[in-house]
Amino acid sequence: MKSVGIALDSLWPAELRTERLLLRPVTLQDADFVCELLTDERVRTHLGGPASPERVAARQAAYPQTPGTWAIVRVADGQAVGLCEPRR
């Protein structure tokens, strides 16, 4: 059986669409949204607190090349509402 990582590599980039949500690869155009999520105290309460500017920049640079990292987007208005990434 293939590992999840190998399977993702063979399918990436991929999208998953439901009636209400779209999971799509994170792009450089998501930079402002990613920064907002990674620096929001409420979002990061149980994740080690807000990320430093250096950490935000590093993650933003890595996301487009990371299989399995999706932006969660509302189909109705195209608004990004979250991120989903593989467990590291």
Side-chain angles (χ1 to χ4, degrees):
M1 177 195 246
K2 288 184 180 180
S3 75
V4 172
I6 292 170
L8 276 173
D9 286 342
S10 67
L11 298 172
W12 198 254
E15 291 186 351
L16 176 63
R17 181 181 294 268
T18 69
E19 185 177 313
R20 296 184 303 160
L21 295 174
L22 167 67
L23 274 65
R24 60 158 174 76
V26 177
T27 67
L28 295 176
Q29 288 72 34
D30 295 315
D32 289 342
F33 175 69
V34 169
C35 182
E36 182 180 329
L37 281 181
L38 296 180
T39 59
D40 185 289
E41 285 191 34
R42 290 181 306 148
V43 171
R44 302 282 305 171
T45 297
H46 302 289
L47 301 170
S52 69
E54 296 80 18
R55 183 71 179 133
V56 170
R59 287 184 66 181
Q60 286 176 326
Y63 279 146
Q65 291 83 33
T66 306
T69 302
W70 286 281
I72 304 168
V73 180
R74 271 192 313 247
V75 169
D77 61 5
Q79 177 69 40
V81 295
L83 296 173
C84 179
E85 59 186 80
R87 189 170 188 184
R88 299 172 205 254

